[in-house]
């Protein structure tokens, strides 16, 4: 696929976004040179993110450049059945609202920096904390690997192959490490805001241009009714089971991403957190919904594409629209630059959280508890860079079986959800039952995934979650302590001062 603005223009776009990200990092550091003074300041932005910035950093965590490209292509392939993707994102918001306000109050009272901090506070179990940290690091590592590959593919596509895949990855990864190293969470949040605006404006301009030049939904519906009537229906049978599986995995798994939870901790106050999440409730319709419509409209613009060709549908439509009008040309430049910036922005937030778990939960808690915050931050940064280097070697020539590893990301991460969410509310939760349930669920998900087993059409991660919950609940009922006293309940809820988690 050759974009209308590929080649030299694409290189200039890439350089512009790269330099802008770098300037954000430098500017953030210059305005707040104490950014490295504490874990809270570096990893949570000093718990000072207001509603607008918090909204965009949640938006960047939930939606990436891959959402625009991948969901449009899927809508083109399966038709109106793809409408079910909207509830996936609604489910994430609902899960946030279940636990985010309560967890925020605890984080403020007990100086919680990472999700593992909460598990340590709740269960006081080294086994639970270490296992959760390992599962989170595994999921974050896979998430980061996806972004590295997507960056390279995005840059190669934007520049028409002028900039090779590997060079694109290295260029943006170096910039990402620099501005993340300098500004921490504040740099990440500000770049999230930049890419969020670019992505939203670009997507809506793509929708408008598609309607203007290729016709609206009635024309696309007539085409589908004539040539692909099967794509007018909704999921049935196995499709409905598959939809339910995704609803559970995406809705729960994405809500407990460690980088998403750290954004909860970064809120300036509970009011800002609730307002940002309330505003996020509109985004499934304004982002996933719009992307779905673009995929449907592509039926009349580019009929009869193969599966491989449909993966490029957004680029094909953007290129056609950009050739029609200077305004749409500028908008499509914004869109594709925003897509790459969104992918980089997702990668930087993942890397920051990866480093925080290493520095706070592994190094600071078990290896060198007496280390200063500055030392812990440095160790987290160095290990993060080493991890990026290792993942970069894999991303250089991605193996054919990498899809299984990507899929296993959510299948594994969702096993942490019972401990994080149920642990917030159920006083009888028992550490040993939590550990055995989490370990059993993760192992079952791994075995089923790599052996391609899906009994009854249920995904491996969902089977793991079922086993996890049974062990967690049954074990806690048998071995868990009686309901907490008023004093203990107040302490956990954050109504009585206690020693902060270290």
């Amino acid at each position: 696929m050759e974009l209308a603005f590929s080649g030299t223009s694409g290189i200039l776009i890439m350089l512009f976004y790269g330099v802008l990200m770098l300037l954000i990092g430098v500017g953030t550091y210059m305005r707040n040179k104490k950014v490295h003074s504490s874990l809270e300041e570096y990893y949570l932005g000093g718990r000072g993110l207001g509603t607008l910035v918090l909204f965009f950093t949640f938006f960047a965590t939930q939606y990436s450049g891959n959402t625009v490209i991948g969901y449009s292509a899927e809508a083109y392939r399966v038709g109106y059945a793809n409408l079910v993707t909207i509830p996936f994102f609604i489910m994430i918001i609902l899960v946030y609202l279940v636990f985010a306000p309560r967890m925020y109050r605890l984080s403020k009272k007990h100086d919680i920096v990472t999700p593992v901090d909460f598990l340590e506070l709740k269960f006081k179990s080294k086994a639970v904390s270490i296992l959760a940290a390992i599962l989170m690091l595994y999921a974050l590592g896979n998430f980061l690997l996806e972004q590295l590959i997507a960056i390279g593919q995005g840059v190669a596509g934007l520049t028409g192959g002028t900039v090779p895949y590997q060079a694109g990855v290295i260029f943006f990864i170096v910039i990402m490490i620099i501005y993340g190293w300098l500004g921490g969470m504040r740099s990440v949040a500000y770049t999230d805001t930049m890419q969020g605006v670019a992505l939203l404006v670009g997507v809506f301009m793509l929708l408008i241009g598609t309607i203007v030049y290729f016709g609206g939904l009635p024309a696309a519906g007539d085409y589908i009714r004539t040539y692909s009537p099967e794509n007018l229906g909704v999921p049935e049978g196995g499709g409905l089971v598959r939809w339910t599986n995704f609803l559970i995995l995406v809705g729960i798994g994405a809500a407990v991403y460690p980088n998403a939870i750290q954004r909860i901790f970064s809120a300036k106050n509970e009011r800002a957190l609730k307002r940002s999440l309330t505003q996020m409730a509109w985004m499934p319709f304004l982002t996933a919904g719009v992307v779905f419509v673009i995929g449907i409209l592509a039926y009349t613009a580019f009929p009869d594409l193969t599966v491989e060709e449909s993966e490029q549908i957004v680029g094909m439509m953007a290129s056609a629209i950009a050739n029609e009008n200077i305004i749409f040309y500028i908008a499509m430049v914004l869109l594709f630059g925003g897509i790459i910036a969104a992918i980089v922005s997702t990668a930087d937030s993942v890397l920051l959280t990866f480093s925080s778990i290493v520095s706070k939960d592994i190094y600071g808690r078990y290896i060198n508890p007496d280390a200063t915050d500055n030392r812990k931050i440095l160790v987290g940064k160095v290990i993060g860079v080493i991890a990026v280097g290792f993942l970069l070697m894999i991303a250089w020539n991605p193996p054919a079986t990498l899809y299984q590893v990507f899929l296993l990301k959510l299948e594994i991460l969702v096993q942490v959800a019972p401990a994080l969410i149920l642990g917030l509310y159920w006083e009888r939760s028992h550490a040993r039952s939590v550990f055995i349930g989490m370990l059993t669920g993760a192992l079952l998900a791994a075995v089923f995934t790599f052996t391609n087993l899906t009994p009854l059409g249920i995904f491996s991660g969902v089977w793991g979650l079922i086993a996890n919950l049974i062990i967690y609940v049954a074990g806690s009922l048998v071995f868990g302590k009686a309901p907490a006293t008023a004093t203990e309940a107040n302490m956990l809820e954050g109504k009585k001062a206690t020693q902060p988690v270290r």
Side-chain angles (χ1 to χ4, degrees):
M1 175 191 64
E2 191 76 12
L3 294 174
F5 39 81
S6 61
T8 303
S9 298
I11 295 174
L12 293 176
I13 297 168
M14 183 185 77
L15 290 174
F16 171 76
Y17 275 93
V19 171
L20 187 57
M21 291 177 184
L22 199 57
L23 289 176
I24 289 174
V26 173
T28 303
Y29 174 73
M30 295 302 294
R31 289 175 57 190
N32 182 25
K33 291 188 177 181
K34 294 182 179 180
V35 65
H36 302 102
S37 62
S38 71
L39 294 171
E40 185 177 280
E41 185 65 39
Y42 185 75
Y43 290 122
L44 303 181
R47 302 185 193 270
L49 301 188
T51 301
L52 182 63
V53 175
L54 196 61
F55 163 78
F56 274 111
T57 196
F58 270 123
F59 176 74
T61 301
Q62 188 168 329
Y63 303 93
S64 71
N66 286 333
T67 303
V68 177
I69 296 173
Y71 278 66
S72 290
E74 184 67 10
Y76 180 90
R77 289 191 291 267
V78 305
Y80 281 82
N82 193 245
L83 265 174
V84 299
T85 58
I86 298 176
F88 296 167
F89 292 102
I90 295 175
M91 182 71 171
I92 297 173
I93 304 300
L94 293 176
V95 176
Y96 277 149
L97 291 172
V98 166
F99 76 91
R102 187 180 179 97
M103 186 166 279
Y104 172 78
R105 291 193 294 270
L106 285 173
S107 74
K108 288 281 285 189
K109 190 66 180 180
H110 299 285
D111 295 335
I112 293 174
V113 174
T114 71
V116 181
D117 271 345
F118 163 73
L119 296 176
E120 181 70 19
L121 172 70
K122 170 67 180 179
F123 300 108
K124 298 178 176 59
S125 167
K126 184 176 181 180
V128 170
S129 298
I130 291 178
L131 177 59
I134 291 172
L135 296 183
M136 290 179 188
L137 288 174
Y138 176 84
L140 289 169
N142 280 279
F143 199 6
L144 184 56
L145 179 57
E146 286 184 76
Q147 306 313 308
L148 297 184
I149 295 172
I151 290 169
Q153 293 174 339
V155 171
L158 178 64
T159 62
T162 305
V163 176
Y165 166 94
Q166 291 86 352
V169 174
I170 292 175
F171 174 77
F172 277 109
I173 288 304
V174 169
I175 288 177
M176 180 189 79
I177 289 174
I178 291 173
Y179 74 71
W181 190 296
L182 288 173
M185 174 59 86
R186 292 183 190 272
S187 287
V188 170
Y190 295 153
T191 55
D192 285 349
T193 302
M194 176 199 74
Q195 66 87 0
V197 172
L199 204 59
L200 280 175
V201 173
V203 165
F204 273 94
M205 289 301 293
L206 176 60
L207 176 62
I208 293 170
T210 302
I211 293 173
V212 170
Y213 293 109
F214 299 115
L217 284 174
D222 290 340
Y223 181 90
I224 298 172
R225 187 177 297 106
T226 303
Y227 297 101
S228 303
E230 69 280 4
N231 287 344
L232 286 174
V234 295
E236 296 179 356
L240 189 59
V241 173
R242 184 176 178 84
W243 173 79
T244 305
N245 277 281
F246 272 119
L247 190 65
I248 295 172
L249 280 181
V250 176
I252 300 176
V256 297
Y257 262 130
N259 47 318
I261 292 178
Q262 279 196 311
R263 276 144 179 77
I264 295 172
F265 301 158
S266 301
K268 186 175 183 178
N269 50 52
E270 190 172 344
R271 182 168 178 264
L273 173 64
K274 289 180 177 179
R275 289 181 65 183
S276 66
L277 290 177
T278 302
Q279 293 168 5
M280 276 292 293
W282 295 99
M283 301 318 293
F285 303 99
L286 299 181
T287 304
V290 170
V291 166
F292 161 79
V293 172
I294 290 171
I296 295 298
L297 294 178
Y299 272 97
T300 53
F302 299 97
D304 302 322
L305 296 180
T306 65
V307 173
E308 292 75 16
E309 290 171 339
S310 68
E311 286 293 314
Q312 302 179 11
I313 194 66
V314 171
M316 294 167 67
M317 294 176 74
S319 184
I321 292 168
N323 281 322
E324 298 289 342
N325 186 295
I326 184 62
I327 296 177
F328 284 116
Y329 179 93
I330 295 172
M332 294 307 98
V333 167
L334 188 68
L335 171 64
F336 269 81
I339 287 174
I340 293 176
I343 297 170
V344 176
S345 189
T346 301
D348 63 26
S349 68
V350 172
L351 179 59
L352 187 71
T353 302
F354 184 98
S355 298
S356 73
I357 293 176
V358 169
S359 64
K360 180 76 163 61
D361 303 316
I362 304 297
Y363 178 76
R365 181 169 286 126
Y366 301 115
I367 298 176
N368 188 4
D370 297 325
T372 63
D373 281 359
N374 193 278
R375 174 76 176 179
K376 293 174 187 176
I377 292 171
L378 179 61
V379 169
K381 287 178 177 179
V382 172
I383 298 299
V385 171
I386 292 172
V388 168
F390 172 74
L391 294 173
L392 195 57
M393 289 190 292
I394 300 176
W396 204 260
N397 291 293
T401 58
L402 198 58
Y403 172 75
Q404 286 185 317
V405 184
F406 291 163
L407 183 61
L408 192 58
K409 173 186 63 179
L410 281 177
E411 313 268 19
I412 290 294
L413 185 60
V414 78
Q415 308 309 324
V416 183
L420 286 171
I421 300 175
L422 195 56
L424 266 174
Y425 293 96
W426 198 25
E427 297 170 2
R428 293 195 64 151
S429 296
H430 188 265
R432 184 180 301 172
S433 301
V434 172
F435 173 79
I436 296 174
M438 196 187 309
L439 180 61
T440 302
L443 291 176
L444 189 63
V447 170
F448 276 22
T449 296
F450 284 107
T451 56
N452 291 318
L453 290 176
T454 54
L456 304 178
I458 298 175
F459 288 4
S460 58
V462 178
W463 278 118
L465 184 61
I466 293 171
N468 186 348
L469 282 169
I470 291 173
I471 294 170
Y472 183 134
V473 173
S476 295
L477 286 173
V478 174
F479 301 109
K481 65 180 181 179
T485 64
T487 301
E488 291 170 333
N490 285 340
M491 181 190 73
L492 186 59
E493 180 64 23
K495 296 177 182 176
K496 183 177 179 67
T498 62
Q499 286 296 107
V501 180
R502 297 296 181 192

